[in-house]
Amino acid sequence: MGLAKTEMFTDQQNEIALFAKVFGHPARVSILQHLFEIDSCVCGDLVNEIGLAQPTISQHLKELKHLGLIKGNVEGTSVCYCIHKENWTAMKTVMTEFLNQDLTKKQDCC
């Protein structure tokens, strides 16, 4: 297998690709939707809400936390997660700029 060669690309290009990867799995989308819906921290009941096994949920939470879209606090024996609102806003800014590129170009192609 070849290397991803991410160093060939700009920081912004790598960041956009990471955001796209997070939204590339319906379980992560579901987790984010649930966290927005309850508008508070969730502690351990995601298995019942999402319907996946705990190790699977944990892996998706790890991905979301690694990118900074969620944050977690340890409360007793469990970890509580919620949306990291500042990082969410920053992600929206980056993605909106990327997705709106077509609005700044006037000429048609082909």
Side-chain angles (χ1 to χ4, degrees):
M1 270 219 156
L3 298 174
K5 297 189 179 183
T6 56
E7 68 278 353
M8 292 176 47
F9 304 99
T10 67
D11 289 343
Q12 184 184 38
Q13 290 167 334
N14 280 296
E15 185 178 38
I16 291 167
L18 287 172
F19 290 141
K21 178 183 175 188
V22 163
F23 294 118
H25 197 289
R28 291 189 287 269
V29 172
S30 180
I31 290 168
L32 289 167
Q33 286 177 320
H34 180 70
L35 291 174
F36 274 112
E37 184 178 303
I38 63 170
D39 197 26
S40 66
C41 288
V42 63
C43 302
D45 61 349
L46 281 173
V47 171
N48 294 332
E49 293 296 327
I50 307 299
L52 297 172
Q54 182 61 54
T56 304
I57 294 287
S58 294
Q59 185 61 37
H60 290 300
L61 288 169
K62 180 180 173 185
E63 291 279 334
L64 291 167
K65 190 171 182 187
H66 175 73
L67 195 53
L69 295 180
I70 64 172
K71 55 186 174 181
N73 299 315
V74 176
E75 291 188 12
T77 59
S78 64
V79 180
C80 299
Y81 291 98
C82 60
I83 298 292
H84 192 302
K85 292 183 180 179
E86 295 83 10
N87 289 354
W88 182 264
T89 300
M91 180 272 308
K92 287 191 333 184
T93 300
V94 169
M95 294 303 289
T96 299
E97 183 180 309
F98 175 70
L99 293 171
N100 284 341
Q101 291 179 88
D102 62 320
L103 301 177
T104 61
K105 304 298 179 195
K106 301 282 189 228
Q107 73 181 30
D108 287 333
C109 176
C110 303

Short mmCIF file of all heavy atoms in Angstrom, two decimals, residues 46-110:
data_model
loop_
_atom_site.label_atom_id
_atom_site.label_comp_id
_atom_site.label_asym_id
_atom_site.label_seq_id
_atom_site.Cartn_x
_atom_site.Cartn_y
_atom_site.Cartn_z
N LEU A 46 -25.52 6.42 24.44
CA LEU A 46 -25.48 6.46 22.98
C LEU A 46 -25.73 5.09 22.36
O LEU A 46 -26.25 5.00 21.25
CB LEU A 46 -24.14 7.01 22.49
CG LEU A 46 -24.00 8.52 22.56
CD1 LEU A 46 -22.58 8.93 22.21
CD2 LEU A 46 -24.98 9.20 21.64
N VAL A 47 -25.37 4.03 23.06
CA VAL A 47 -25.59 2.68 22.52
C VAL A 47 -27.09 2.47 22.27
O VAL A 47 -27.48 1.98 21.21
CB VAL A 47 -25.03 1.60 23.48
CG1 VAL A 47 -25.44 0.21 23.03
CG2 VAL A 47 -23.52 1.71 23.55
N ASN A 48 -27.91 2.86 23.22
CA ASN A 48 -29.36 2.71 23.05
C ASN A 48 -29.91 3.65 21.98
O ASN A 48 -30.83 3.29 21.25
CB ASN A 48 -30.08 2.97 24.37
CG ASN A 48 -29.74 1.93 25.41
OD1 ASN A 48 -29.44 0.79 25.09
ND2 ASN A 48 -29.76 2.34 26.67
N GLU A 49 -29.35 4.84 21.90
CA GLU A 49 -29.85 5.83 20.95
C GLU A 49 -29.44 5.52 19.51
O GLU A 49 -30.23 5.67 18.59
CB GLU A 49 -29.35 7.23 21.33
CG GLU A 49 -29.92 7.76 22.61
CD GLU A 49 -31.42 7.97 22.55
OE1 GLU A 49 -31.95 8.32 21.47
OE2 GLU A 49 -32.07 7.77 23.60
N ILE A 50 -28.20 5.11 19.33
CA ILE A 50 -27.67 4.90 17.98
C ILE A 50 -27.90 3.46 17.50
O ILE A 50 -28.10 3.22 16.33
CB ILE A 50 -26.15 5.23 17.92
CG1 ILE A 50 -25.88 6.63 18.48
CG2 ILE A 50 -25.60 5.09 16.51
CD1 ILE A 50 -26.55 7.77 17.74
N GLY A 51 -27.87 2.51 18.44
CA GLY A 51 -28.13 1.13 18.08
C GLY A 51 -26.92 0.32 17.65
O GLY A 51 -27.06 -0.74 17.04
N LEU A 52 -25.74 0.82 17.95
CA LEU A 52 -24.52 0.09 17.62
C LEU A 52 -23.87 -0.39 18.91
O LEU A 52 -24.17 0.09 20.00
CB LEU A 52 -23.55 0.99 16.86
CG LEU A 52 -24.02 1.51 15.50
CD1 LEU A 52 -23.04 2.53 14.96
CD2 LEU A 52 -24.18 0.36 14.52
N ALA A 53 -22.95 -1.33 18.78
CA ALA A 53 -22.24 -1.87 19.94
C ALA A 53 -21.35 -0.79 20.57
O ALA A 53 -20.87 0.12 19.89
CB ALA A 53 -21.39 -3.07 19.53
N GLN A 54 -21.11 -0.91 21.87
CA GLN A 54 -20.29 0.07 22.59
C GLN A 54 -18.91 0.27 21.98
O GLN A 54 -18.48 1.42 21.81
CB GLN A 54 -20.18 -0.32 24.07
CG GLN A 54 -19.39 0.69 24.90
CD GLN A 54 -20.05 2.06 24.91
OE1 GLN A 54 -21.21 2.19 25.23
NE2 GLN A 54 -19.30 3.09 24.53
N PRO A 55 -18.19 -0.80 21.60
CA PRO A 55 -16.86 -0.56 20.99
C PRO A 55 -16.95 0.24 19.69
O PRO A 55 -16.08 1.07 19.41
CB PRO A 55 -16.32 -1.97 20.74
CG PRO A 55 -17.05 -2.84 21.69
CD PRO A 55 -18.42 -2.23 21.83
N THR A 56 -18.01 0.03 18.93
CA THR A 56 -18.20 0.75 17.68
C THR A 56 -18.47 2.23 17.96
O THR A 56 -17.88 3.12 17.34
CB THR A 56 -19.34 0.14 16.85
OG1 THR A 56 -19.06 -1.23 16.64
CG2 THR A 56 -19.52 0.85 15.52
N ILE A 57 -19.38 2.48 18.91
CA ILE A 57 -19.68 3.86 19.31
C ILE A 57 -18.42 4.54 19.81
O ILE A 57 -18.12 5.69 19.46
CB ILE A 57 -20.77 3.88 20.41
CG1 ILE A 57 -22.11 3.36 19.89
CG2 ILE A 57 -20.92 5.28 21.01
CD1 ILE A 57 -22.83 4.29 18.97
N SER A 58 -17.65 3.84 20.64
CA SER A 58 -16.42 4.41 21.19
C SER A 58 -15.44 4.81 20.09
O SER A 58 -14.79 5.85 20.18
CB SER A 58 -15.76 3.42 22.15
OG SER A 58 -16.56 3.22 23.28
N GLN A 59 -15.32 3.97 19.07
CA GLN A 59 -14.42 4.28 17.96
C GLN A 59 -14.87 5.54 17.22
O GLN A 59 -14.05 6.40 16.88
CB GLN A 59 -14.32 3.10 16.99
CG GLN A 59 -13.32 3.30 15.89
CD GLN A 59 -11.89 3.51 16.38
OE1 GLN A 59 -11.47 2.90 17.34
NE2 GLN A 59 -11.16 4.38 15.73
N HIS A 60 -16.16 5.66 17.00
CA HIS A 60 -16.68 6.85 16.31
C HIS A 60 -16.52 8.10 17.17
O HIS A 60 -16.18 9.17 16.67
CB HIS A 60 -18.13 6.64 15.90
CG HIS A 60 -18.29 5.65 14.79
ND1 HIS A 60 -17.71 5.80 13.54
CD2 HIS A 60 -18.95 4.48 14.74
CE1 HIS A 60 -18.01 4.77 12.77
NE2 HIS A 60 -18.77 3.95 13.48
N LEU A 61 -16.74 7.97 18.47
CA LEU A 61 -16.53 9.09 19.38
C LEU A 61 -15.07 9.53 19.37
O LEU A 61 -14.76 10.72 19.40
CB LEU A 61 -16.97 8.73 20.80
CG LEU A 61 -18.47 8.60 21.03
CD1 LEU A 61 -18.75 7.97 22.38
CD2 LEU A 61 -19.16 9.96 20.90
N LYS A 62 -14.19 8.56 19.32
CA LYS A 62 -12.74 8.85 19.27
C LYS A 62 -12.41 9.67 18.03
O LYS A 62 -11.64 10.64 18.10
CB LYS A 62 -11.95 7.54 19.29
CG LYS A 62 -10.47 7.71 19.25
CD LYS A 62 -9.77 6.36 19.26
CE LYS A 62 -8.28 6.51 19.06
NZ LYS A 62 -7.61 5.21 18.96
N GLU A 63 -12.97 9.30 16.89
CA GLU A 63 -12.74 10.04 15.64
C GLU A 63 -13.26 11.47 15.76
O GLU A 63 -12.58 12.42 15.36
CB GLU A 63 -13.44 9.35 14.46
CG GLU A 63 -12.84 8.03 14.08
CD GLU A 63 -11.60 8.18 13.21
OE1 GLU A 63 -11.48 9.20 12.51
OE2 GLU A 63 -10.76 7.28 13.26
N LEU A 64 -14.46 11.62 16.30
CA LEU A 64 -15.05 12.95 16.43
C LEU A 64 -14.27 13.81 17.42
O LEU A 64 -14.08 15.01 17.19
CB LEU A 64 -16.52 12.83 16.88
CG LEU A 64 -17.47 12.24 15.85
CD1 LEU A 64 -18.80 11.87 16.51
CD2 LEU A 64 -17.68 13.21 14.70
N LYS A 65 -13.80 13.19 18.49
CA LYS A 65 -13.03 13.93 19.49
C LYS A 65 -11.65 14.29 18.95
O LYS A 65 -11.16 15.40 19.18
CB LYS A 65 -12.91 13.13 20.78
CG LYS A 65 -12.33 13.95 21.91
CD LYS A 65 -12.40 13.25 23.24
CE LYS A 65 -11.83 14.18 24.31
NZ LYS A 65 -11.71 13.56 25.58
N HIS A 66 -11.04 13.38 18.22
CA HIS A 66 -9.72 13.64 17.63
C HIS A 66 -9.76 14.87 16.73
O HIS A 66 -8.83 15.67 16.71
CB HIS A 66 -9.23 12.42 16.85
CG HIS A 66 -7.95 12.64 16.11
ND1 HIS A 66 -6.73 12.74 16.75
CD2 HIS A 66 -7.71 12.83 14.80
CE1 HIS A 66 -5.79 12.97 15.85
NE2 HIS A 66 -6.35 13.02 14.65
N LEU A 67 -10.83 15.03 15.99
CA LEU A 67 -10.97 16.18 15.09
C LEU A 67 -11.42 17.42 15.86
O LEU A 67 -11.34 18.52 15.35
CB LEU A 67 -11.95 15.85 13.98
CG LEU A 67 -11.97 16.77 12.79
CD1 LEU A 67 -10.57 16.96 12.19
CD2 LEU A 67 -12.90 16.26 11.73
N GLY A 68 -11.87 17.24 17.09
CA GLY A 68 -12.25 18.38 17.92
C GLY A 68 -13.68 18.82 17.78
O GLY A 68 -14.05 19.88 18.29
N LEU A 69 -14.52 18.04 17.09
CA LEU A 69 -15.91 18.44 16.94
C LEU A 69 -16.74 18.15 18.18
O LEU A 69 -17.80 18.74 18.36
CB LEU A 69 -16.54 17.75 15.71
CG LEU A 69 -15.92 18.17 14.38
CD1 LEU A 69 -16.62 17.45 13.24
CD2 LEU A 69 -15.99 19.68 14.19
N ILE A 70 -16.26 17.24 19.02
CA ILE A 70 -16.91 16.99 20.30
C ILE A 70 -15.85 17.08 21.39
O ILE A 70 -14.65 17.01 21.12
CB ILE A 70 -17.63 15.62 20.36
CG1 ILE A 70 -16.64 14.47 20.24
CG2 ILE A 70 -18.72 15.53 19.30
CD1 ILE A 70 -17.24 13.09 20.49
N LYS A 71 -16.31 17.26 22.61
CA LYS A 71 -15.40 17.25 23.75
C LYS A 71 -16.01 16.35 24.81
O LYS A 71 -17.21 16.12 24.84
CB LYS A 71 -15.13 18.65 24.28
CG LYS A 71 -16.36 19.45 24.65
CD LYS A 71 -15.97 20.87 25.03
CE LYS A 71 -17.20 21.72 25.26
NZ LYS A 71 -16.85 23.10 25.61
N GLY A 72 -15.14 15.81 25.64
CA GLY A 72 -15.60 14.88 26.66
C GLY A 72 -15.03 15.21 28.02
O GLY A 72 -13.91 15.68 28.14
N ASN A 73 -15.85 14.97 29.03
CA ASN A 73 -15.45 15.16 30.43
C ASN A 73 -15.67 13.87 31.18
O ASN A 73 -16.70 13.21 31.00
CB ASN A 73 -16.27 16.27 31.09
CG ASN A 73 -16.08 17.61 30.41
OD1 ASN A 73 -14.97 17.99 30.11
ND2 ASN A 73 -17.17 18.30 30.16
N VAL A 74 -14.74 13.51 32.03
CA VAL A 74 -14.88 12.31 32.85
C VAL A 74 -15.73 12.65 34.06
O VAL A 74 -15.46 13.61 34.78
CB VAL A 74 -13.50 11.77 33.29
CG1 VAL A 74 -13.66 10.58 34.21
CG2 VAL A 74 -12.65 11.42 32.08
N GLU A 75 -16.80 11.88 34.23
CA GLU A 75 -17.68 12.03 35.40
C GLU A 75 -17.83 10.66 36.03
O GLU A 75 -18.57 9.82 35.53
CB GLU A 75 -19.03 12.61 35.00
CG GLU A 75 -18.95 14.05 34.55
CD GLU A 75 -20.31 14.68 34.33
OE1 GLU A 75 -21.33 14.08 34.73
OE2 GLU A 75 -20.35 15.77 33.75
N GLY A 76 -17.12 10.45 37.13
CA GLY A 76 -17.15 9.14 37.77
C GLY A 76 -16.48 8.11 36.90
O GLY A 76 -15.33 8.26 36.50
N THR A 77 -17.24 7.07 36.56
CA THR A 77 -16.69 6.00 35.72
C THR A 77 -17.04 6.16 34.25
O THR A 77 -16.69 5.31 33.44
CB THR A 77 -17.21 4.63 36.21
OG1 THR A 77 -18.64 4.63 36.13
CG2 THR A 77 -16.75 4.35 37.62
N SER A 78 -17.75 7.22 33.90
CA SER A 78 -18.13 7.39 32.50
C SER A 78 -17.58 8.69 31.93
O SER A 78 -17.17 9.59 32.66
CB SER A 78 -19.66 7.36 32.36
OG SER A 78 -20.23 8.46 33.04
N VAL A 79 -17.57 8.76 30.62
CA VAL A 79 -17.16 9.96 29.91
C VAL A 79 -18.39 10.57 29.27
O VAL A 79 -19.16 9.88 28.61
CB VAL A 79 -16.09 9.65 28.83
CG1 VAL A 79 -15.66 10.92 28.12
CG2 VAL A 79 -14.89 8.95 29.45
N CYS A 80 -18.57 11.85 29.48
CA CYS A 80 -19.73 12.56 28.92
C CYS A 80 -19.26 13.39 27.73
O CYS A 80 -18.23 14.06 27.80
CB CYS A 80 -20.35 13.45 29.98
SG CYS A 80 -20.95 12.54 31.40
N TYR A 81 -20.02 13.34 26.65
CA TYR A 81 -19.66 14.03 25.42
C TYR A 81 -20.68 15.08 25.05
O TYR A 81 -21.88 14.91 25.29
CB TYR A 81 -19.54 13.03 24.26
CG TYR A 81 -18.38 12.10 24.40
CD1 TYR A 81 -18.54 10.81 24.91
CD2 TYR A 81 -17.10 12.50 24.03
CE1 TYR A 81 -17.46 9.96 25.04
CE2 TYR A 81 -16.02 11.66 24.17
CZ TYR A 81 -16.21 10.39 24.67
OH TYR A 81 -15.13 9.55 24.81
N CYS A 82 -20.19 16.15 24.43
CA CYS A 82 -21.06 17.18 23.88
C CYS A 82 -20.35 17.83 22.69
O CYS A 82 -19.16 17.62 22.48
CB CYS A 82 -21.44 18.23 24.93
SG CYS A 82 -20.05 19.11 25.62
N ILE A 83 -21.09 18.61 21.93
CA ILE A 83 -20.54 19.31 20.79
C ILE A 83 -19.56 20.37 21.29
O ILE A 83 -19.85 21.10 22.23
CB ILE A 83 -21.65 19.99 19.96
CG1 ILE A 83 -22.64 18.96 19.40
CG2 ILE A 83 -21.07 20.86 18.85
CD1 ILE A 83 -22.07 18.05 18.35
N HIS A 84 -18.40 20.46 20.65
CA HIS A 84 -17.44 21.52 20.94
C HIS A 84 -17.85 22.68 20.03
O HIS A 84 -17.45 22.74 18.86
CB HIS A 84 -16.02 21.05 20.65
CG HIS A 84 -14.97 21.96 21.18
ND1 HIS A 84 -14.88 23.29 20.83
CD2 HIS A 84 -13.95 21.73 22.04
CE1 HIS A 84 -13.86 23.84 21.44
NE2 HIS A 84 -13.27 22.90 22.19
N LYS A 85 -18.64 23.59 20.54
CA LYS A 85 -19.30 24.60 19.71
C LYS A 85 -18.32 25.53 18.99
O LYS A 85 -18.55 25.91 17.84
CB LYS A 85 -20.31 25.38 20.54
CG LYS A 85 -21.48 24.50 20.94
CD LYS A 85 -22.54 25.22 21.69
CE LYS A 85 -23.65 24.22 22.03
NZ LYS A 85 -24.72 24.79 22.78
N GLU A 86 -17.23 25.90 19.64
CA GLU A 86 -16.26 26.78 18.99
C GLU A 86 -15.61 26.09 17.79
O GLU A 86 -15.47 26.68 16.71
CB GLU A 86 -15.17 27.23 19.98
CG GLU A 86 -15.69 28.10 21.10
CD GLU A 86 -16.29 27.31 22.26
OE1 GLU A 86 -16.15 26.06 22.31
OE2 GLU A 86 -16.94 27.94 23.12
N ASN A 87 -15.24 24.83 17.98
CA ASN A 87 -14.63 24.07 16.87
C ASN A 87 -15.65 23.78 15.78
O ASN A 87 -15.30 23.73 14.59
CB ASN A 87 -14.00 22.79 17.38
CG ASN A 87 -12.75 23.05 18.19
OD1 ASN A 87 -12.28 24.18 18.28
ND2 ASN A 87 -12.21 22.01 18.80
N TRP A 88 -16.89 23.55 16.16
CA TRP A 88 -17.96 23.31 15.17
C TRP A 88 -18.11 24.55 14.29
O TRP A 88 -18.19 24.45 13.06
CB TRP A 88 -19.27 22.97 15.87
CG TRP A 88 -20.36 22.68 14.90
CD1 TRP A 88 -21.31 23.54 14.45
CD2 TRP A 88 -20.61 21.43 14.23
NE1 TRP A 88 -22.13 22.92 13.54
CE2 TRP A 88 -21.73 21.62 13.40
CE3 TRP A 88 -19.99 20.19 14.28
CZ2 TRP A 88 -22.25 20.61 12.61
CZ3 TRP A 88 -20.52 19.18 13.49
CH2 TRP A 88 -21.63 19.38 12.67
N THR A 89 -18.12 25.73 14.91
CA THR A 89 -18.24 26.98 14.16
C THR A 89 -17.05 27.18 13.23
O THR A 89 -17.21 27.59 12.08
CB THR A 89 -18.38 28.17 15.14
OG1 THR A 89 -19.55 27.96 15.94
CG2 THR A 89 -18.49 29.48 14.40
N ALA A 90 -15.86 26.88 13.71
CA ALA A 90 -14.66 27.01 12.88
C ALA A 90 -14.72 26.05 11.69
O ALA A 90 -14.36 26.42 10.56
CB ALA A 90 -13.41 26.75 13.72
N MET A 91 -15.19 24.82 11.94
CA MET A 91 -15.33 23.84 10.86
C MET A 91 -16.33 24.34 9.81
O MET A 91 -16.08 24.23 8.61
CB MET A 91 -15.77 22.49 11.42
CG MET A 91 -15.96 21.39 10.40
SD MET A 91 -17.59 21.26 9.61
CE MET A 91 -18.69 21.22 10.99
N LYS A 92 -17.44 24.90 10.26
CA LYS A 92 -18.44 25.42 9.32
C LYS A 92 -17.86 26.53 8.45
O LYS A 92 -18.16 26.60 7.26
CB LYS A 92 -19.68 25.93 10.07
CG LYS A 92 -20.54 24.83 10.61
CD LYS A 92 -21.89 25.27 11.12
CE LYS A 92 -22.03 26.66 11.61
NZ LYS A 92 -23.34 26.98 12.16
N THR A 93 -17.03 27.37 9.03
CA THR A 93 -16.41 28.45 8.27
C THR A 93 -15.51 27.89 7.17
O THR A 93 -15.59 28.31 6.01
CB THR A 93 -15.59 29.37 9.21
OG1 THR A 93 -16.48 29.91 10.18
CG2 THR A 93 -14.90 30.47 8.44
N VAL A 94 -14.66 26.93 7.52
CA VAL A 94 -13.76 26.32 6.55
C VAL A 94 -14.55 25.62 5.44
O VAL A 94 -14.27 25.79 4.25
CB VAL A 94 -12.80 25.32 7.25
CG1 VAL A 94 -12.04 24.47 6.24
CG2 VAL A 94 -11.85 26.05 8.16
N MET A 95 -15.55 24.84 5.83
CA MET A 95 -16.31 24.08 4.85
C MET A 95 -17.18 24.99 3.98
O MET A 95 -17.33 24.74 2.78
CB MET A 95 -17.17 23.01 5.54
CG MET A 95 -16.34 21.93 6.21
SD MET A 95 -15.21 21.06 5.08
CE MET A 95 -16.37 20.11 4.11
N THR A 96 -17.74 26.04 4.55
CA THR A 96 -18.56 26.97 3.76
C THR A 96 -17.71 27.66 2.71
O THR A 96 -18.12 27.78 1.55
CB THR A 96 -19.23 28.00 4.68
OG1 THR A 96 -20.10 27.30 5.60
CG2 THR A 96 -20.04 29.00 3.89
N GLU A 97 -16.52 28.09 3.11
CA GLU A 97 -15.61 28.71 2.15
C GLU A 97 -15.28 27.75 1.02
O GLU A 97 -15.30 28.12 -0.16
CB GLU A 97 -14.33 29.15 2.86
CG GLU A 97 -13.35 29.87 1.97
CD GLU A 97 -12.09 30.28 2.73
OE1 GLU A 97 -12.21 30.91 3.79
OE2 GLU A 97 -10.99 29.95 2.24
N PHE A 98 -15.01 26.50 1.35
CA PHE A 98 -14.69 25.50 0.34
C PHE A 98 -15.89 25.23 -0.57
O PHE A 98 -15.77 25.21 -1.79
CB PHE A 98 -14.24 24.20 1.02
CG PHE A 98 -14.01 23.07 0.06
CD1 PHE A 98 -12.94 23.09 -0.81
CD2 PHE A 98 -14.88 21.99 0.02
CE1 PHE A 98 -12.73 22.05 -1.72
CE2 PHE A 98 -14.68 20.96 -0.88
CZ PHE A 98 -13.60 20.98 -1.74
N LEU A 99 -17.06 25.04 0.03
CA LEU A 99 -18.25 24.69 -0.75
C LEU A 99 -18.79 25.85 -1.58
O LEU A 99 -19.49 25.63 -2.56
CB LEU A 99 -19.34 24.15 0.18
CG LEU A 99 -19.02 22.81 0.84
CD1 LEU A 99 -20.06 22.47 1.91
CD2 LEU A 99 -18.91 21.70 -0.20
N ASN A 100 -18.45 27.07 -1.19
CA ASN A 100 -18.95 28.24 -1.92
C ASN A 100 -17.98 28.73 -3.00
O ASN A 100 -18.19 29.80 -3.56
CB ASN A 100 -19.26 29.38 -0.95
CG ASN A 100 -20.55 29.14 -0.21
OD1 ASN A 100 -21.38 28.34 -0.61
ND2 ASN A 100 -20.73 29.83 0.90
N GLN A 101 -16.96 27.96 -3.32
CA GLN A 101 -16.01 28.36 -4.36
C GLN A 101 -16.68 28.65 -5.69
O GLN A 101 -16.27 29.54 -6.43
CB GLN A 101 -14.95 27.28 -4.58
CG GLN A 101 -14.01 27.10 -3.44
CD GLN A 101 -13.02 26.00 -3.73
OE1 GLN A 101 -11.98 26.26 -4.32
NE2 GLN A 101 -13.35 24.78 -3.36
N ASP A 102 -17.74 27.92 -5.98
CA ASP A 102 -18.44 28.09 -7.25
C ASP A 102 -19.13 29.46 -7.34
O ASP A 102 -19.37 29.96 -8.44
CB ASP A 102 -19.45 26.97 -7.47
CG ASP A 102 -20.53 26.96 -6.40
OD1 ASP A 102 -20.21 27.18 -5.21
OD2 ASP A 102 -21.70 26.71 -6.74
N LEU A 103 -19.40 30.07 -6.22
CA LEU A 103 -20.10 31.35 -6.22
C LEU A 103 -19.18 32.51 -6.57
O LEU A 103 -19.65 33.57 -6.96
CB LEU A 103 -20.74 31.60 -4.86
CG LEU A 103 -21.74 30.54 -4.40
CD1 LEU A 103 -22.25 30.89 -3.00
CD2 LEU A 103 -22.89 30.39 -5.38
N THR A 104 -17.88 32.32 -6.44
CA THR A 104 -16.94 33.40 -6.72
C THR A 104 -16.40 33.35 -8.14
O THR A 104 -15.74 34.29 -8.56
CB THR A 104 -15.75 33.34 -5.72
OG1 THR A 104 -15.07 32.09 -5.89
CG2 THR A 104 -16.22 33.48 -4.29
N LYS A 105 -16.67 32.29 -8.87
CA LYS A 105 -16.18 32.16 -10.25
C LYS A 105 -17.31 32.48 -11.22
O LYS A 105 -18.41 31.96 -11.09
CB LYS A 105 -15.64 30.75 -10.51
CG LYS A 105 -14.54 30.32 -9.56
CD LYS A 105 -13.35 31.22 -9.67
CE LYS A 105 -12.28 30.79 -8.69
NZ LYS A 105 -11.26 31.75 -8.47
N LYS A 106 -17.02 33.32 -12.19
CA LYS A 106 -18.05 33.77 -13.13
C LYS A 106 -18.14 32.94 -14.40
O LYS A 106 -19.20 32.81 -14.96
CB LYS A 106 -17.80 35.24 -13.50
CG LYS A 106 -17.79 36.17 -12.32
CD LYS A 106 -19.18 36.48 -11.87
CE LYS A 106 -19.15 37.58 -10.83
NZ LYS A 106 -19.89 37.37 -9.67
N GLN A 107 -17.02 32.39 -14.85
CA GLN A 107 -17.06 31.72 -16.14
C GLN A 107 -17.48 30.27 -16.02
O GLN A 107 -17.21 29.59 -15.03
CB GLN A 107 -15.72 31.82 -16.84
CG GLN A 107 -14.61 30.96 -16.26
CD GLN A 107 -13.31 31.16 -17.01
OE1 GLN A 107 -13.05 32.24 -17.53
NE2 GLN A 107 -12.51 30.13 -17.08
N ASP A 108 -18.18 29.82 -17.04
CA ASP A 108 -18.58 28.42 -17.11
C ASP A 108 -17.51 27.61 -17.79
O ASP A 108 -16.74 28.11 -18.61
CB ASP A 108 -19.89 28.27 -17.91
CG ASP A 108 -21.09 28.77 -17.12
OD1 ASP A 108 -21.03 28.74 -15.90
OD2 ASP A 108 -22.07 29.19 -17.78
N CYS A 109 -17.47 26.36 -17.47
CA CYS A 109 -16.51 25.46 -18.07
C CYS A 109 -17.27 24.45 -18.93
O CYS A 109 -18.30 23.92 -18.50
CB CYS A 109 -15.71 24.75 -16.99
SG CYS A 109 -14.56 23.54 -17.62
N CYS A 110 -16.77 24.19 -20.10
CA CYS A 110 -17.35 23.20 -21.02
C CYS A 110 -18.72 23.60 -21.50
O CYS A 110 -19.74 23.45 -21.03
CB CYS A 110 -17.36 21.81 -20.43
SG CYS A 110 -15.71 21.26 -19.95
#
